[in-house]
């Protein structure tokens, strides 16, 4: 058994030596696994400052958290039942669960890009969270500015005026309201390939439709996870 462990450690070190290191799992809680190219079985993280390389996939189990720091100083926190894929030094894919990002500004260089399902989020010095826990995707922007671009077709972006008009019309009869709602949707929606978000805003994306939502107090508090390492 000891010889087998030494052999596996040797293989791990050998593969790592030829890979491009991008950061570390600085600390973790619970069960965190790394799926690495050319290694059949997932690697159970058992130490702090666990090195991550290009093509790694990081997954957390129930009641588990992974705190990741990239070599440029950017931070990523995976809450429970979450996963990310590191496509290369410039691109990280949020695949599942709730993932927090604190991206360090890189001067005039192209900022880190975050992929999530069929969208790509252009980032340059910001703090935000992507929630993929159900069939919709929610993006909560705490600080900075991001650009959200569709990889497939265009977004149907609903404007704020449509929502406020709907709210003021709730006391009308249902049939009349539905007719009015349809007219308002046609008047106050636009088709866009990309859109920008500002600090303190949030959106929900489902079936290509983008609607503004609020940032819940519990999400506001969870952003503190990015300041714990």
């Amino acid at each position: 058994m000891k010889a087998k462990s030494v052999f596996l450690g040797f293989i791990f070190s050998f593969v790592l030596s030829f890979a491009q290191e991008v950061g570390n799992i600085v600390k973790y809680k619970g069960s965190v696994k790394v799926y690495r190219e050319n290694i059949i079985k997932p690697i159970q993280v058992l130490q702090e400052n666990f090195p991550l390389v290009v093509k790694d996939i990081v997954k957390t189990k129930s009641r588990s958290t992974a705190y990741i720091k990239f070599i440029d100083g950017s931070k990523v926190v995976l809450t429970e039942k979450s996963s990310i894929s590191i496509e290369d030094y410039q691109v990280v894919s949020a695949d599942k669960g709730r993932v927090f990002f604190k991206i360090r500004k890189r001067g005039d260089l192209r900022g880190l890009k975050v992929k999530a399902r069929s969208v790509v989020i252009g980032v340059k010095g910001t703090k935000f969270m992507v929630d993929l826990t159900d069939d919709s995707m929610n993006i909560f922007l705490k600080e900075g500015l991001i650009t959200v671009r569709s990889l497939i077709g265009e977004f149907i972006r609903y404007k704020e005026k449509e929502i406020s008009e709907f709210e003021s019309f709730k006391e009308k009869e249902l049939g009349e309201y539905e007719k009015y709602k349809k007219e308002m949707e046609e008047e106050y929606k636009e088709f866009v390939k990309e859109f920008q978000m500002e600090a303190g805003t949030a959106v929900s994306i489902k079936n290509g439709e983008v609607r503004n939502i609020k940032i819940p107090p519990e999400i506001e508090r969870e952003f503190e996870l990015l300041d714990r390492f």
Side-chain angles (χ1 to χ4, degrees):
M1 180 63 73
K2 184 177 180 181
K4 183 178 179 181
S5 299
V6 172
F7 176 73
L8 289 175
F10 171 76
I11 294 295
F12 171 70
S13 299
F14 180 79
V15 172
L16 182 62
S17 65
F18 286 91
Q20 181 184 359
E21 188 171 337
V22 295
N24 295 275
I25 299 178
V26 176
K27 64 178 185 176
Y28 67 97
K29 181 182 73 174
S31 178
V32 179
K33 292 184 178 181
V34 174
Y35 295 74
R36 180 156 295 169
E37 194 174 38
N38 299 320
I39 295 182
I40 298 175
K41 292 184 177 181
I43 305 167
Q44 183 75 47
V45 177
L46 299 174
Q47 63 183 43
E48 295 185 343
N49 296 313
F50 182 94
L52 295 173
V53 300
V54 171
K55 303 299 182 184
D56 274 355
I57 298 173
V58 184
K59 295 185 178 182
T60 56
K61 298 292 185 180
S62 298
R63 298 184 295 277
S64 301
T65 310
Y67 299 83
I68 299 171
K69 190 171 185 178
F70 284 80
I71 57 176
D72 72 336
S74 296
K75 298 179 180 181
V76 178
V77 176
L78 281 72
T79 59
E80 67 171 357
K81 298 179 181 179
S82 301
S83 67
I84 63 167
S85 302
I86 303 172
E87 296 189 10
D88 59 41
Y89 176 70
Q90 291 280 355
V91 181
V92 174
S93 175
D95 303 321
K96 180 182 178 183
R98 301 165 73 187
V99 185
F100 289 81
F101 296 88
K102 184 177 182 180
I103 309 302
R104 183 179 178 185
K105 190 172 182 180
R106 303 182 180 187
D108 295 328
L109 297 178
R110 179 168 61 97
L112 181 72
K113 287 188 176 180
V114 176
K115 289 184 177 180
R117 292 179 181 165
S118 60
V119 309
V120 60
I121 304 170
V123 181
K124 195 173 184 180
T126 187
K127 186 186 291 186
F128 67 101
M129 188 268 273
V130 177
D131 185 348
L132 298 163
T133 53
D134 55 29
D135 58 348
S136 63
M137 176 175 65
N138 298 333
I139 303 173
F140 302 93
L141 180 57
K142 177 72 172 177
E143 298 175 2
L145 182 73
I146 62 176
T147 300
V148 183
R149 181 167 58 88
S150 174
L151 297 175
I152 303 175
E154 293 182 316
F155 293 117
I156 302 175
R157 182 78 165 104
Y158 288 88
K159 297 182 179 179
E160 195 68 39
K161 187 174 181 181
E162 169 211 340
I163 299 172
S164 61
E165 289 280 1
F166 285 174
E167 290 297 324
S168 66
F169 207 78
K170 281 183 177 178
E171 295 181 0
K172 295 285 186 179
E173 293 183 2
L174 181 61
E176 186 180 354
Y177 170 70
E178 288 301 326
K179 179 181 178 181
Y180 177 78
K181 179 179 177 181
K182 184 177 181 180
E183 292 174 352
M184 285 299 96
E185 285 178 343
E186 292 175 352
E187 184 176 358
Y188 295 114
K189 68 183 179 184
E190 59 181 353
F191 295 85
V192 295
K193 187 66 178 178
E194 65 179 34
F195 62 91
Q196 285 193 330
M197 293 178 60
E198 298 179 348
T201 63
V203 297
S204 180
I205 304 174
K206 184 176 182 180
N207 298 326
E209 296 186 345
V210 183
R211 297 179 183 276
N212 295 333
I213 59 175
K214 301 292 185 180
I215 303 179
E218 60 271 21
I219 298 296
E220 290 276 9
R221 291 192 293 270
E222 280 193 282
F223 273 104
E224 295 177 4
L225 291 170
L226 292 165
D227 299 321
R228 295 181 181 178
F229 66 111

